[in-house]
Amino acid sequence: MIQQTLSWLIDYQTLLTWLGISSLLMFVLSLLLLPWFIKKIPADYFQRPPKANTLSDLLTPLNLMRNTLGGLVLIAGIAMLILPGQGLLTVFAGIAIMHFPGKYQLERWLISRNGILKAVNWLRRKTDTPELK
């Protein structure tokens, strides 16, 4: 059994090395960028009425760039659910960046999860930003 495990580790050494490097990179990036993303959310964001989204709004170049960046952050957050990093907060930040129908309801559901609002407001206090209401 030990011989098989060692053989598997040797066979997949390159893959495991790259997974380790990407995990470390995502962890460091989440520590650096997540507070910045969280700080950009207006304190009264969840008290505002949701904006209506139309298909033409979603296809503007700015929204395509926002959705691409948000999608990358979202994917990194999902990966951080099993890899080192701040997974749920990064998923929330990715969704907050994006622009799509139903986004407001999804954000409200996520922020109401146990500990998410507490963690977001803790980060906001650390950056001298008013807490989310």
Side-chain angles (χ1 to χ4, degrees), residues 38-55:
I38 298 288
K39 185 177 180 176
K40 293 292 183 184
I41 301 170
D44 64 344
Y45 181 77
F46 291 105
Q47 294 178 331
R48 298 175 183 175
K51 295 178 184 176
N53 295 319
T54 63
L55 185 58

Side-chain angles (χ1 to χ4, degrees), residues 23-41:
S23 174
L24 179 65
L25 206 84
M26 281 192 281
F27 177 71
V28 170
L29 283 175
S30 75
L31 289 177
L32 296 174
L33 294 178
L34 194 57
W36 181 79
F37 283 130
I38 298 288
K39 185 177 180 176
K40 293 292 183 184
I41 301 170

Side-chain angles (χ1 to χ4, degrees), residues 10-22:
I10 291 169
D11 290 345
Y12 293 99
Q13 183 177 2
T14 304
L15 174 65
L16 294 172
T17 301
W18 281 109
L19 280 174
I21 290 169
S22 63

